[in-house]
Amino acid sequence: MRRTILTALAAMALVLGFAGTAAADTFTQTINQHNVTVTASIPIGCGGPTLTYTATGNLVEHITVNGAADSWFTTTFEGTGTLTTGGKTFAGHLMDWFGNEDNNKNSVVHATFNFVGDGLTVHGALDIATNANGTVTVDKLTVSCS
């Protein structure tokens, strides 16, 4: 998830840098990548403080910025691989999604992580919302493991 957040922030910085040059225009871009290998560590764990995964699959990133510099960014990865948590490794299918929306009034970040493997199922969800004053109004992380 950390890799996803860093990718999102870098893409947003790049696009927002161009937003002032075309104040009335909307910029949108979608990037599809196939057979991509992703390795990530996220701060949710089942039997440990974090989980790490390496998986190969498809990655889609989408960004839109309008003339008011409001922005929407999402990234989705889905594939198969291994997940390690609590000193144990599991093979299976995973999906990692991240979304960020910003305007001059508020900002929201959402992320979900799902893994279904031989002997482990994980679901994680993150929601963060910030108002126009910069105050965090929602900060929620839920994780379930079975």
Side-chain angles (χ1 to χ4, degrees):
M1 188 173 300
R2 183 177 299 157
R3 179 203 59 79
T4 303
I5 292 171
L6 293 175
T7 300
L9 293 176
M12 286 175 30
L14 176 65
V15 172
L16 292 176
F18 291 109
T21 62
D25 295 334
T26 296
F27 170 85
T28 188
Q29 181 178 33
T30 301
I31 299 170
N32 291 291
Q33 299 178 52
H34 303 282
N35 201 32
V36 174
T37 299
V38 173
T39 299
S41 179
I42 56 178
I44 61 175
C46 303
T50 62
L51 60 83
T52 302
Y53 67 85
T54 298
T56 300
N58 299 316
L59 176 68
V60 178
E61 296 174 312
H62 180 80
I63 188 163
T64 299
V65 179
N66 66 18
D70 302 330
S71 64
W72 299 264
F73 178 82
T74 63
T75 182
T76 303
F77 175 82
E78 185 172 9
T80 58
T82 59
L83 178 143
T84 303
T85 186
K88 297 178 183 174
T89 300
F90 304 88
H93 182 87
L94 65 91
M95 190 282 303
D96 191 354
W97 178 83
F98 172 84
N100 177 256
E101 299 82 33
D102 288 299
N103 62 36
N104 66 348
K105 302 288 184 206
N106 54 48
S107 171
V108 294
V109 173
H110 304 287
T112 60
F113 177 84
N114 292 291
F115 175 84
V116 177
D118 186 22
L120 179 67
T121 299
V122 180
H123 173 73
L126 171 72
D127 295 293
I128 301 172
T130 305
N131 66 20
N133 297 322
T135 302
V136 174
T137 58
V138 175
D139 187 357
K140 182 177 180 183
L141 172 65
T142 59
V143 179
S144 63
C145 306
S146 57

